[in-house]
Amino acid sequence: MCVCSCKPCYETSLTDAQWAVIEPLLPVRDLRRGGRPLKFSRRLVLDTVLYVLGTGCAWRLVPHDLAPWDVAYRWFRSWAADGTWDRVHDALRDRIRVAEGRDPEPSAAVLDSQSAKSHQGGESIGYDAGKRVRGRKRHLLVDTCGLVLRAVVHSASVQDRAGAKLVLTGIRELFPRVGLVWVDGGYVNRVDSGLIRWAADNENVEIVAVPRNADVKGFQVLPRRWVVERTFSWLGRCRRLARDYERKTAHAEAMIKVAMIRLMAARLAGETIEPHGPIETEAARRLTDDLDHE
């Protein structure tokens, strides 16, 4: 049976240029190991995963002209388990850094977390008393371009300082040149500065806090910290990430990687994804102004 090659036209579907960037990085099936020929192409499967990610619909509600939901979910789950999403994501991130004239290995990073409500339970569900959210936290470590270096999803009941240790543990083995990490004031305060000592002693990383100006109300651009906030804004364009619908934290982390893969593939293909809505547009304008002033 031949592989289906139909190309549904959805806003979330990959363009030809984006697919040309991603396709060489996907694993190639070894025909010597046998098995049935593929009934649905990898591009169609990936378009189905991106449809779920972008629209936020349930797997069982994907349109019939995409791959069957169980096929797409099986591939998504398999690629999350064998590290395919991670490998594709890391390869694209390195290519973007090189294209921008940077070393593939970053030397500085920015750390922050985001609490997300959980919909139907699953593993590692807790309550964030500070933000009054029952669900999970997404802890992101990004480079100075806003590209994700490490994403860890854990219970919302885990404090930021404890969650930071989960993210930073072994970071020098993955990124040997990282020696500086910017964080917000919640990670470092007068009561508990243990994270600074722990990072210096165990990971040889310097933690630098960028405090918020308490006199300024509403949105404000903070040096360095705006980079990770912009990354959360990028992820917020995907409705699947508006809440945490995944029952496993590994799948929640994989969804973050898939969202970044789509964004980086578009950038490498010379395409841009413009912000929509007055709030995101205004935030993008202020962030651009702040970048021009640096």
Side-chain angles (χ1 to χ4, degrees):
M1 185 176 296
C2 64
V3 176
C4 177
S5 59
C6 58
K7 298 178 181 179
C9 295
Y10 294 103
E11 289 292 333
T12 57
S13 298
L14 294 172
T15 64
D16 291 339
Q18 293 171 11
W19 174 242
V21 172
I22 296 176
E23 183 183 15
L25 303 175
L26 296 177
V28 179
R29 190 173 187 180
D30 188 357
L31 299 179
R32 295 173 299 178
R33 300 181 62 181
R36 294 186 304 173
L38 294 178
K39 184 177 180 180
F40 302 96
S41 68
R42 295 180 300 171
R43 180 173 181 177
L44 186 63
V45 170
L46 188 51
D47 281 345
T48 307
V49 175
L50 290 173
Y51 185 88
V52 172
L53 175 67
T55 64
C57 76
W59 285 100
R60 296 174 184 269
L61 299 181
V62 297
H64 295 296
D65 54 352
L66 291 171
W69 75 269
D70 55 336
V71 173
Y73 177 71
R74 184 168 64 249
W75 280 91
F76 168 78
R77 182 181 59 191
S78 175
W79 284 351
D82 65 13
T84 296
W85 296 123
D86 292 335
R87 289 189 293 270
V88 174
H89 173 273
D90 294 347
L92 294 180
R93 183 193 61 228
D94 293 346
R95 286 182 57 182
I96 287 183
R97 289 185 58 86
V98 171
E100 295 182 353
R102 298 172 180 267
D103 192 294
E105 293 292 335
S107 59
V110 191
L111 177 69
D112 203 359
S113 68
Q114 179 189 61
S115 295
K117 293 182 179 181
S118 178
H119 182 58
Q120 291 182 337
E123 64 181 13
S124 300
I125 302 298
Y127 182 72
D128 183 352
K131 297 183 179 179
R132 299 180 180 179
V133 171
R134 181 186 180 277
R136 299 189 180 118
K137 278 185 181 179
R138 301 165 181 154
H139 243 112
L140 296 187
L141 184 71
V142 304
D143 65 7
T144 53
C145 301
L147 305 178
V148 175
L149 300 178
R150 199 171 194 179
V152 176
V153 177
H154 54 76
S155 171
S157 61
V158 177
Q159 296 296 319
D160 283 348
R161 288 181 288 276
K165 293 181 180 180
L166 297 177
V167 180
L168 296 177
T169 298
I171 196 64
R172 292 303 293 268
E173 297 179 4
L174 297 175
F175 306 98
R177 296 183 68 245
V178 170
L180 177 64
V181 176
W182 287 285
V183 299
D184 64 32
Y187 292 87
V188 180
N189 54 41
R190 297 179 180 178
V191 178
D192 185 2
S193 60
L195 178 62
I196 296 179
R197 295 192 301 270
W198 176 88
D201 295 341
N202 295 274
E203 301 298 333
N204 194 24
V205 171
E206 179 184 1
I207 301 293
V208 177
V210 182
R212 178 185 177 88
N213 187 351
D215 297 332
V216 178
K217 295 183 179 180
F219 177 82
Q220 59 177 300
V221 177
L222 300 176
R224 302 300 179 182
R225 274 182 53 190
W226 68 265
V227 176
V228 67
E229 296 295 344
R230 181 182 60 177
T231 303
F232 281 122
S233 178
W234 289 340
L235 298 177
R237 298 172 184 172
C238 302
R239 289 182 177 270
R240 182 79 178 188
L241 297 178
R243 283 176 176 259
D244 195 327
Y245 290 97
E246 315 306 325
R247 298 193 64 83
K248 295 184 177 181
T249 56
H251 292 176
E253 294 169 0
M255 278 294 181
I256 294 174
K257 296 294 181 66
V258 175
M260 292 302 298
I261 287 172
R262 169 66 190 282
L263 184 146
M264 293 187 292
R267 187 179 300 182
L268 289 170
E271 303 169 358
T272 58
I273 302 176
E274 298 296 334
H276 298 286
I279 296 178
E280 189 176 7
T281 302
E282 175 64 13
R285 184 191 66 80
R286 296 191 186 187
L287 293 176
T288 302
D289 292 343
D290 178 72
L291 183 61
D292 292 338
H293 292 158
E294 287 190 349

Coordinates of all heavy atoms in Angstrom, one line a residue, residues 23-77:
E23 N 12.8 17.4 7.6 CA 12.8 16.0 7.1 C 14.2 15.3 7.2 O 14.2 14.2 7.7 CB 12.4 16.0 5.6 CG 12.4 14.6 5.0 CD 12.0 14.6 3.5 OE1 12.1 15.6 2.9 OE2 11.7 13.5 3.0
P24 N 15.3 16.0 6.9 CA 16.6 15.2 7.0 C 17.0 14.9 8.5 O 17.8 14.0 8.7 CB 17.6 16.2 6.5 CG 16.8 17.2 5.6 CD 15.5 17.3 6.3
L25 N 16.3 15.5 9.4 CA 16.6 15.2 10.9 C 15.8 14.1 11.5 O 16.1 13.6 12.5 CB 16.4 16.5 11.7 CG 17.2 17.7 11.2 CD1 16.8 18.9 12.0 CD2 18.7 17.4 11.3
L26 N 14.7 13.7 10.8 CA 13.9 12.6 11.3 C 14.5 11.2 11.0 O 15.2 11.1 10.1 CB 12.5 12.7 10.6 CG 11.7 13.9 10.9 CD1 10.4 13.9 10.1 CD2 11.4 14.1 12.4
P27 N 14.3 10.3 11.9 CA 14.8 9.0 11.7 C 14.3 8.3 10.5 O 13.2 8.4 10.1 CB 14.4 8.2 13.0 CG 13.2 8.9 13.5 CD 13.4 10.4 13.1
V28 N 15.2 7.6 9.8 CA 14.9 6.8 8.6 C 14.6 5.4 9.0 O 15.4 4.8 9.7 CB 16.0 6.9 7.5 CG1 15.6 6.1 6.3 CG2 16.2 8.4 7.2
R29 N 13.5 4.8 8.4 CA 13.2 3.5 8.7 C 14.1 2.5 8.1 O 14.5 2.6 6.9 CB 11.8 3.2 8.3 CG 11.2 1.9 8.8 CD 9.7 1.8 8.4 NE 9.1 0.6 9.0 CZ 7.8 0.3 8.8 NH1 7.1 1.1 8.0 NH2 7.3 -0.8 9.3
D30 N 14.6 1.5 8.9 CA 15.5 0.5 8.3 C 14.7 -0.6 7.7 O 14.1 -1.4 8.4 CB 16.4 0.0 9.5 CG 17.5 -1.0 9.0 OD1 17.5 -1.2 7.7 OD2 18.3 -1.4 9.8
L31 N 14.7 -0.7 6.4 CA 13.9 -1.7 5.7 C 14.4 -3.1 6.0 O 13.6 -4.1 5.8 CB 13.9 -1.4 4.2 CG 13.2 0.0 3.8 CD1 13.3 0.2 2.3 CD2 11.8 0.1 4.3
R32 N 15.6 -3.2 6.3 CA 16.2 -4.6 6.6 C 15.5 -5.2 7.8 O 15.6 -6.5 8.0 CB 17.7 -4.5 6.8 CG 18.4 -4.1 5.5 CD 19.9 -3.9 5.8 NE 20.1 -2.8 6.8 CZ 21.3 -2.5 7.2 NH1 22.4 -3.1 6.8 NH2 21.4 -1.5 8.1
R33 N 14.9 -4.4 8.7 CA 14.3 -5.0 9.9 C 12.9 -5.5 9.6 O 12.2 -6.0 10.5 CB 14.3 -3.9 11.0 CG 15.7 -3.4 11.4 CD 15.7 -2.4 12.5 NE 15.1 -3.0 13.7 CZ 15.0 -2.3 14.8 NH1 15.3 -1.0 14.8 NH2 14.5 -2.9 15.9
G34 N 12.4 -5.3 8.4 CA 11.1 -5.8 8.0 C 10.0 -4.8 8.5 O 10.2 -3.7 8.8
G35 N 8.8 -5.3 8.5 CA 7.6 -4.5 8.9 C 6.8 -4.1 7.7 O 7.3 -4.1 6.6
R36 N 5.6 -3.6 7.9 CA 4.8 -3.2 6.8 C 5.2 -1.8 6.3 O 5.8 -1.0 7.1 CB 3.3 -3.1 7.3 CG 2.7 -4.4 7.7 CD 1.2 -4.2 8.0 NE 1.0 -3.2 9.0 CZ -0.2 -2.8 9.4 NH1 -1.3 -3.2 8.8 NH2 -0.3 -1.9 10.4
P37 N 5.0 -1.5 5.0 CA 5.3 -0.2 4.5 C 4.4 0.8 5.2 O 3.3 0.5 5.7 CB 4.9 -0.3 3.0 CG 4.9 -1.8 2.7 CD 4.5 -2.5 4.0
L38 N 4.9 2.1 5.3 CA 4.1 3.1 6.0 C 2.9 3.4 5.2 O 2.9 3.6 3.9 CB 5.0 4.4 6.1 CG 6.2 4.3 7.0 CD1 7.0 5.6 7.0 CD2 5.8 4.0 8.4
K39 N 1.8 3.5 5.8 CA 0.5 3.9 5.2 C 0.3 5.4 5.1 O -0.3 5.9 4.2 CB -0.7 3.2 6.0 CG -2.0 3.5 5.3 CD -3.1 2.7 6.1 CE -4.5 3.0 5.4 NZ -5.6 2.3 6.1
F40 N 0.9 6.1 6.1 CA 0.8 7.6 6.2 C 2.2 8.1 6.3 O 3.0 7.6 7.0 CB 0.0 8.0 7.4 CG -1.4 7.4 7.4 CD1 -1.7 6.2 8.2 CD2 -2.5 8.0 6.7 CE1 -3.0 5.7 8.2 CE2 -3.7 7.5 6.7 CZ -4.0 6.3 7.5
S41 N 2.4 9.2 5.5 CA 3.7 9.8 5.5 C 4.1 10.4 6.8 O 3.2 10.8 7.5 CB 3.8 10.8 4.3 OG 3.0 11.9 4.6
R42 N 5.4 10.6 7.0 CA 5.8 11.2 8.2 C 5.4 12.7 8.2 O 5.1 13.3 9.3 CB 7.4 11.1 8.3 CG 7.9 9.7 8.5 CD 9.4 9.7 8.6 NE 10.0 10.3 7.4 CZ 11.3 10.5 7.3 NH1 12.1 10.2 8.3 NH2 11.8 11.0 6.2
R43 N 5.4 13.3 7.1 CA 4.9 14.7 7.0 C 3.5 14.8 7.4 O 3.1 15.8 8.2 CB 5.1 15.3 5.6 CG 4.7 16.7 5.5 CD 5.0 17.3 4.1 NE 4.6 18.7 4.0 CZ 4.9 19.5 3.0 NH1 5.5 19.0 2.0 NH2 4.5 20.8 3.0
L44 N 2.6 13.9 7.0 CA 1.2 14.0 7.4 C 1.1 13.7 8.9 O 0.2 14.4 9.5 CB 0.4 12.9 6.6 CG -1.1 13.0 6.8 CD1 -1.7 14.3 6.3 CD2 -1.8 11.8 6.0
V45 N 1.9 12.8 9.4 CA 1.8 12.6 10.8 C 2.2 13.8 11.6 O 1.6 14.2 12.6 CB 2.7 11.4 11.2 CG1 2.9 11.2 12.7 CG2 2.1 10.1 10.6
L46 N 3.3 14.4 11.2 CA 3.8 15.6 11.8 C 2.8 16.8 11.7 O 2.6 17.5 12.7 CB 5.1 16.1 11.3 CG 5.9 17.2 12.0 CD1 6.0 16.9 13.5 CD2 7.3 17.4 11.4
D47 N 2.1 16.9 10.6 CA 1.1 17.9 10.4 C -0.1 17.7 11.4 O -0.7 18.6 11.9 CB 0.5 17.9 9.0 CG 1.4 18.7 8.0 OD1 2.3 19.4 8.5 OD2 1.3 18.5 6.8
T48 N -0.4 16.4 11.7 CA -1.4 16.1 12.6 C -1.1 16.4 14.0 O -1.9 17.0 14.8 CB -1.7 14.5 12.5 OG1 -2.0 14.2 11.2 CG2 -3.0 14.2 13.4
V49 N 0.2 16.2 14.4 CA 0.7 16.6 15.7 C 0.6 18.1 15.9 O 0.2 18.6 16.9 CB 2.1 16.0 16.0 CG1 2.6 16.5 17.3 CG2 2.1 14.5 15.9
L50 N 1.0 18.8 14.8 CA 1.0 20.2 14.9 C -0.4 20.8 14.9 O -0.6 21.9 15.5 CB 1.8 20.8 13.6 CG 3.3 20.6 13.6 CD1 3.9 21.0 12.3 CD2 4.0 21.3 14.8
Y51 N -1.3 20.1 14.3 CA -2.7 20.5 14.4 C -3.2 20.5 15.8 O -3.9 21.4 16.3 CB -3.6 19.7 13.4 CG -5.0 20.1 13.4 CD1 -5.4 21.1 12.4 CD2 -6.0 19.6 14.2 CE1 -6.7 21.5 12.4 CE2 -7.3 20.1 14.2 CZ -7.7 21.0 13.2 OH -9.0 21.4 13.2
V52 N -2.9 19.4 16.5 CA -3.3 19.2 17.9 C -2.6 20.3 18.7 O -3.3 20.9 19.6 CB -3.0 17.8 18.4 CG1 -3.2 17.7 19.9 CG2 -3.8 16.8 17.7
L53 N -1.4 20.5 18.5 CA -0.6 21.5 19.2 C -1.1 22.9 19.0 O -1.3 23.7 20.0 CB 0.9 21.4 18.8 CG 1.8 22.5 19.4 CD1 1.9 22.3 21.0 CD2 3.2 22.4 18.8
G54 N -1.4 23.3 17.8 CA -1.8 24.6 17.4 C -3.2 25.0 17.8 O -3.5 26.1 18.3
T55 N -4.1 24.0 17.6 CA -5.6 24.3 17.8 C -6.0 23.9 19.2 O -7.0 24.4 19.7 CB -6.4 23.5 16.8 OG1 -6.3 22.1 17.1 CG2 -6.1 23.8 15.4
G56 N -5.3 23.0 19.9 CA -5.6 22.6 21.2 C -6.7 21.6 21.3 O -7.3 21.3 22.4
C57 N -7.1 21.0 20.1 CA -8.1 20.0 20.1 C -7.7 18.7 20.7 O -6.5 18.4 20.9 CB -8.7 19.8 18.7 SG -7.6 18.8 17.7
A58 N -8.6 17.8 21.1 CA -8.3 16.5 21.5 C -7.8 15.6 20.4 O -8.1 15.9 19.2 CB -9.5 15.8 22.2
W59 N -7.0 14.6 20.7 CA -6.4 13.8 19.7 C -7.5 13.1 18.8 O -7.4 13.0 17.6 CB -5.5 12.7 20.3 CG -4.2 13.2 20.8 CD1 -3.9 13.5 22.1 CD2 -3.0 13.4 20.0 NE1 -2.6 13.9 22.1 CE2 -2.0 13.8 20.9 CE3 -2.7 13.3 18.6 CZ2 -0.7 14.1 20.4 CZ3 -1.5 13.6 18.2 CH2 -0.5 14.0 19.1
R60 N -8.6 12.7 19.5 CA -9.6 12.0 18.8 C -10.5 12.9 17.9 O -11.3 12.4 17.1 CB -10.6 11.3 19.8 CG -9.9 10.3 20.6 CD -10.8 9.7 21.7 NE -10.2 8.8 22.6 CZ -10.2 7.4 22.3 NH1 -10.8 6.9 21.3 NH2 -9.5 6.6 23.2
L61 N -10.2 14.2 17.9 CA -11.0 15.2 17.2 C -10.3 15.8 16.0 O -10.8 16.8 15.4 CB -11.5 16.3 18.1 CG -12.4 15.9 19.2 CD1 -12.9 17.1 20.1 CD2 -13.7 15.1 18.7
V62 N -9.2 15.2 15.6 CA -8.4 15.7 14.4 C -9.2 15.5 13.2 O -10.0 14.5 13.1 CB -7.0 15.1 14.3 CG1 -6.2 15.4 15.5 CG2 -7.1 13.6 14.1
P63 N -9.2 16.4 12.2 CA -9.9 16.2 10.9 C -9.6 14.9 10.2 O -8.5 14.3 10.4 CB -9.5 17.4 10.1 CG -9.0 18.4 11.1 CD -8.4 17.6 12.2
H64 N -10.5 14.4 9.5 CA -10.3 13.1 8.8 C -9.3 13.1 7.7 O -8.9 12.1 7.2 CB -11.7 12.6 8.3 CG -12.6 12.2 9.4 ND1 -12.4 11.3 10.4 CD2 -13.8 12.8 9.8 CE1 -13.4 11.2 11.2 NE2 -14.3 12.2 10.9
D65 N -9.0 14.3 7.2 CA -8.1 14.4 6.1 C -6.6 14.4 6.6 O -5.7 14.5 5.8 CB -8.3 15.6 5.1 CG -8.4 16.9 5.9 OD1 -8.4 16.8 7.1 OD2 -8.5 17.9 5.2
L66 N -6.4 14.4 7.9 CA -5.1 14.2 8.5 C -4.9 12.7 8.8 O -5.8 11.9 8.6 CB -5.0 15.1 9.7 CG -4.9 16.6 9.5 CD1 -5.0 17.3 10.8 CD2 -3.7 17.0 8.7
A67 N -3.8 12.4 9.4 CA -3.6 11.0 9.8 C -4.5 10.7 10.9 O -4.9 11.5 11.7 CB -2.1 10.9 10.3
P68 N -4.9 9.4 11.0 CA -5.8 9.0 12.2 C -5.1 9.3 13.5 O -3.9 9.3 13.7 CB -5.9 7.5 12.0 CG -5.7 7.2 10.5 CD -4.7 8.3 10.1
W69 N -6.0 9.7 14.5 CA -5.5 10.2 15.7 C -4.6 9.2 16.4 O -3.5 9.6 17.0 CB -6.6 10.6 16.6 CG -7.3 9.5 17.3 CD1 -8.4 8.8 16.8 CD2 -6.9 8.8 18.5 NE1 -8.8 7.8 17.7 CE2 -7.9 7.8 18.7 CE3 -5.9 9.0 19.4 CZ2 -7.8 6.9 19.8 CZ3 -5.9 8.2 20.5 CH2 -6.8 7.1 20.7
D70 N -4.9 7.9 16.4 CA -4.1 6.9 17.1 C -2.8 6.7 16.4 O -1.8 6.5 17.1 CB -4.9 5.6 17.2 CG -5.3 5.1 15.8 OD1 -5.5 5.9 14.9 OD2 -5.5 3.9 15.7
V71 N -2.7 6.9 15.1 CA -1.4 6.8 14.4 C -0.5 8.0 14.8 O 0.6 7.8 15.1 CB -1.6 6.8 12.9 CG1 -0.3 6.8 12.1 CG2 -2.4 5.5 12.5
A72 N -1.1 9.2 14.8 CA -0.3 10.4 15.1 C 0.2 10.3 16.6 O 1.3 10.7 16.9 CB -1.1 11.6 14.8
Y73 N -0.8 9.9 17.4 CA -0.4 9.9 18.9 C 0.7 8.8 19.1 O 1.6 9.0 19.9 CB -1.6 9.6 19.7 CG -1.3 9.4 21.2 CD1 -0.9 10.5 21.9 CD2 -1.3 8.2 21.8 CE1 -0.6 10.4 23.3 CE2 -1.0 8.1 23.2 CZ -0.6 9.2 23.9 OH -0.3 9.0 25.2
R74 N 0.6 7.7 18.4 CA 1.6 6.6 18.6 C 3.0 7.1 18.1 O 4.0 6.8 18.8 CB 1.2 5.4 17.8 CG 2.1 4.2 18.0 CD 1.5 2.9 17.4 NE 1.3 3.0 16.0 CZ 0.1 3.0 15.4 NH1 -1.0 3.0 16.1 NH2 0.0 3.0 14.1
W75 N 3.1 7.8 17.0 CA 4.3 8.4 16.6 C 4.8 9.4 17.5 O 6.0 9.5 17.8 CB 4.2 9.0 15.2 CG 4.2 7.9 14.1 CD1 3.2 7.3 13.5 CD2 5.4 7.4 13.4 NE1 3.6 6.4 12.6 CE2 5.0 6.5 12.5 CE3 6.8 7.7 13.5 CZ2 5.9 5.8 11.6 CZ3 7.7 7.1 12.7 CH2 7.2 6.1 11.8
F76 N 3.9 10.3 18.0 CA 4.3 11.3 19.0 C 4.9 10.7 20.2 O 5.9 11.1 20.7 CB 3.1 12.2 19.3 CG 3.3 13.1 20.5 CD1 4.1 14.3 20.4 CD2 2.8 12.8 21.7 CE1 4.3 15.1 21.4 CE2 3.0 13.6 22.8 CZ 3.7 14.8 22.7
R77 N 4.2 9.7 20.7 CA 4.7 9.0 21.9 C 6.0 8.3 21.7 O 6.9 8.3 22.6 CB 3.6 8.0 22.4 CG 3.9 7.3 23.7 CD 2.7 6.3 24.0 NE 2.5 5.4 22.9 CZ 1.5 4.6 22.8 NH1 0.5 4.6 23.7 NH2 1.4 3.7 21.8

